[in-house]
Coordinates of all heavy atoms in Angstrom, one line a residue:
Chain A
W151 N 67.9 6.7 -60.8 CA 68.8 5.6 -60.8 C 70.3 6.1 -60.6 O 70.8 6.7 -61.6 CB 68.7 4.8 -62.1 CG 69.7 3.6 -62.0 CD1 71.0 3.6 -62.4 CD2 69.4 2.3 -61.5 NE1 71.6 2.4 -62.1 CE2 70.6 1.6 -61.6 CE3 68.3 1.7 -61.1 CZ2 70.7 0.2 -61.3 CZ3 68.4 0.3 -60.7 CH2 69.6 -0.4 -60.8
F154 N 73.8 0.9 -57.9 CA 73.7 0.1 -56.7 C 74.6 0.7 -55.6 O 74.3 0.7 -54.5 CB 74.1 -1.3 -57.0 CG 74.1 -2.2 -55.8 CD1 72.8 -2.5 -55.2 CD2 75.2 -2.6 -55.1 CE1 72.8 -3.3 -54.1 CE2 75.2 -3.4 -54.0 CZ 73.9 -3.7 -53.5
H155 N 75.8 1.2 -56.0 CA 76.7 1.7 -55.0 C 76.6 3.3 -54.9 O 77.4 3.9 -54.2 CB 78.2 1.3 -55.3 CG 78.3 -0.1 -55.6 ND1 78.1 -0.7 -56.9 CD2 78.6 -1.2 -54.8 CE1 78.3 -2.0 -56.8 NE2 78.6 -2.3 -55.6
G156 N 75.7 3.8 -55.7 CA 75.6 5.3 -55.7 C 76.6 6.0 -56.5 O 76.7 7.3 -56.4
S159 N 75.8 7.1 -63.2 CA 75.4 8.3 -64.0 C 76.6 9.3 -64.2 O 76.4 10.4 -64.6 CB 74.2 9.0 -63.5 OG 74.5 9.9 -62.4
E160 N 77.8 8.8 -64.0 CA 79.0 9.6 -64.3 C 79.4 9.5 -65.8 O 80.4 9.1 -66.2 CB 80.2 9.2 -63.4 CG 79.9 9.6 -61.9 CD 79.9 11.1 -61.7 OE1 80.3 11.9 -62.6 OE2 79.4 11.6 -60.6
I165 N 84.8 6.4 -70.9 CA 85.9 6.6 -71.9 C 85.3 6.5 -73.3 O 84.7 5.5 -73.7 CB 87.0 5.6 -71.6 CG1 87.7 5.9 -70.3 CG2 88.0 5.6 -72.8 CD1 88.6 4.8 -69.7
D169 N 93.0 5.9 -74.9 CA 94.3 6.6 -75.2 C 94.2 8.0 -75.7 O 95.1 8.5 -76.3 CB 95.1 5.7 -76.1 CG 95.2 4.2 -75.7 OD1 95.3 4.0 -74.5 OD2 95.1 3.3 -76.5
Y242 N 80.0 15.9 -83.6 CA 80.5 14.5 -84.0 C 80.8 13.7 -82.7 O 80.4 12.6 -82.5 CB 81.7 14.7 -84.8 CG 82.5 13.4 -85.2 CD1 82.0 12.5 -86.1 CD2 83.8 13.2 -84.6 CE1 82.7 11.3 -86.4 CE2 84.5 12.0 -84.9 CZ 84.0 11.1 -85.8 OH 84.7 10.0 -86.1
N250 N 76.0 6.0 -77.8 CA 76.4 5.0 -76.8 C 75.3 4.7 -75.8 O 75.1 3.6 -75.4 CB 77.7 5.4 -76.1 CG 79.0 5.1 -76.9 OD1 78.8 4.5 -78.0 ND2 80.1 5.4 -76.4
N253 N 72.5 2.9 -77.6 CA 72.8 1.5 -77.9 C 72.8 0.6 -76.6 O 72.6 -0.6 -76.6 CB 74.1 1.3 -78.6 CG 73.9 1.8 -80.1 OD1 72.8 1.7 -80.7 ND2 75.0 2.3 -80.7
F254 N 73.2 1.3 -75.5 CA 73.3 0.5 -74.2 C 72.0 0.5 -73.4 O 71.4 -0.5 -73.1 CB 74.5 1.1 -73.4 CG 74.7 0.4 -72.1 CD1 74.9 -1.0 -72.0 CD2 74.7 1.1 -70.9 CE1 75.1 -1.6 -70.8 CE2 74.9 0.5 -69.7 CZ 75.1 -0.9 -69.6
L255 N 71.6 1.7 -73.0 CA 70.4 1.8 -72.1 C 69.1 2.0 -72.8 O 68.1 1.7 -72.3 CB 70.7 2.9 -71.1 CG 69.8 2.9 -69.8 CD1 70.1 1.6 -69.0 CD2 70.1 4.1 -69.0
D256 N 69.2 2.6 -74.0 CA 68.0 2.9 -74.8 C 66.8 3.5 -74.0 O 65.8 3.0 -73.9 CB 67.5 1.6 -75.5 CG 66.2 1.8 -76.3 OD1 66.0 2.9 -76.8 OD2 65.4 0.8 -76.4
Chain B
W151 N 65.9 -5.4 -68.7 CA 65.9 -4.1 -69.2 C 66.4 -4.1 -70.7 O 67.6 -4.3 -70.8 CB 66.7 -3.1 -68.4 CG 66.6 -1.7 -69.0 CD1 67.4 -1.2 -70.0 CD2 65.6 -0.7 -68.7 NE1 67.0 0.1 -70.3 CE2 65.9 0.4 -69.5 CE3 64.6 -0.6 -67.8 CZ2 65.1 1.6 -69.5 CZ3 63.8 0.6 -67.7 CH2 64.1 1.6 -68.6
F154 N 63.6 1.3 -73.8 CA 62.3 1.7 -74.1 C 61.8 1.2 -75.5 O 60.7 0.9 -75.7 CB 62.2 3.2 -74.0 CG 60.8 3.7 -74.3 CD1 59.7 3.5 -73.4 CD2 60.5 4.4 -75.5 CE1 58.4 4.0 -73.7 CE2 59.2 4.8 -75.8 CZ 58.2 4.6 -74.9
H155 N 62.7 1.3 -76.5 CA 62.4 0.9 -77.8 C 62.8 -0.6 -78.1 O 62.7 -1.0 -79.3 CB 63.0 1.8 -78.9 CG 62.9 3.3 -78.5 ND1 63.7 3.9 -77.7 CD2 61.9 4.2 -78.9 CE1 63.3 5.2 -77.6 NE2 62.2 5.4 -78.3
G156 N 63.3 -1.2 -77.1 CA 63.8 -2.6 -77.3 C 65.1 -2.8 -78.0 O 65.5 -3.9 -78.4
S159 N 71.0 -2.6 -74.5 CA 72.0 -3.6 -74.1 C 72.9 -4.1 -75.2 O 73.5 -5.1 -75.1 CB 71.3 -4.8 -73.4 OG 70.8 -5.7 -74.3
E160 N 73.0 -3.2 -76.3 CA 74.0 -3.6 -77.3 C 75.4 -3.0 -77.0 O 75.9 -2.1 -77.7 CB 73.5 -3.0 -78.7 CG 72.3 -3.7 -79.2 CD 72.6 -5.2 -79.6 OE1 73.8 -5.5 -79.8 OE2 71.6 -6.0 -79.8
I165 N 80.7 2.8 -78.7 CA 82.0 3.3 -79.2 C 83.0 3.5 -78.1 O 82.7 4.2 -77.2 CB 81.9 4.5 -80.1 CG1 81.1 4.1 -81.4 CG2 83.2 5.1 -80.5 CD1 80.5 5.3 -82.2
D169 N 87.0 6.9 -83.9 CA 87.9 6.9 -85.0 C 88.8 5.6 -85.0 O 89.8 5.6 -85.7 CB 88.8 8.1 -85.1 CG 87.9 9.4 -85.1 OD1 86.8 9.4 -85.7 OD2 88.3 10.4 -84.4
Y242 N 93.2 -4.7 -70.9 CA 93.2 -3.2 -70.9 C 91.9 -2.7 -71.5 O 91.3 -1.8 -71.0 CB 94.5 -2.7 -71.6 CG 94.6 -1.3 -71.8 CD1 94.9 -0.4 -70.8 CD2 94.5 -0.7 -73.1 CE1 95.1 1.0 -71.0 CE2 94.7 0.6 -73.4 CZ 94.9 1.5 -72.3 OH 95.1 2.8 -72.6
N250 N 83.3 1.7 -67.9 CA 82.3 2.5 -68.5 C 80.9 2.2 -68.0 O 80.1 3.1 -67.7 CB 82.3 2.5 -70.0 CG 83.4 3.4 -70.7 OD1 84.1 4.1 -70.0 ND2 83.5 3.3 -72.0
N253 N 80.8 3.3 -64.3 CA 80.7 4.7 -64.1 C 79.3 5.3 -64.6 O 78.9 6.3 -64.1 CB 81.8 5.5 -64.9 CG 83.2 5.3 -64.2 OD1 83.3 5.2 -63.0 ND2 84.2 5.3 -65.0
F254 N 78.7 4.6 -65.5 CA 77.4 5.0 -66.0 C 76.2 4.4 -65.3 O 75.4 5.1 -64.7 CB 77.3 4.7 -67.5 CG 76.0 5.1 -68.1 CD1 75.6 6.4 -68.0 CD2 75.2 4.2 -68.9 CE1 74.4 6.8 -68.6 CE2 74.0 4.6 -69.4 CZ 73.6 5.9 -69.3
L255 N 76.2 3.1 -65.3 CA 75.0 2.4 -64.7 C 75.2 1.9 -63.3 O 74.3 1.7 -62.6 CB 74.6 1.2 -65.7 CG 73.1 0.7 -65.4 CD1 72.1 1.8 -65.7 CD2 72.9 -0.5 -66.3
D256 N 76.5 1.6 -63.0 CA 76.8 1.1 -61.6 C 75.9 0.0 -61.2 O 75.2 0.1 -60.2 CB 76.7 2.3 -60.6 CG 77.1 1.9 -59.2 OD1 77.8 0.9 -59.0 OD2 76.5 2.5 -58.3

Side-chain angles (χ1 to χ4, degrees):
Chain A
W151 181 276
F154 180 73
H155 312 85
S159 82
E160 288 294 344
I165 292 166
D169 308 320
Y242 173 73
N250 276 358
N253 287 332
F254 179 55
L255 196 63
D256 179 28
Chain B
W151 181 276
F154 180 73
H155 312 86
S159 82
E160 289 294 344
I165 292 166
D169 307 320
Y242 172 75
N250 276 358
N253 287 331
F254 179 54
L255 197 62
D256 179 29

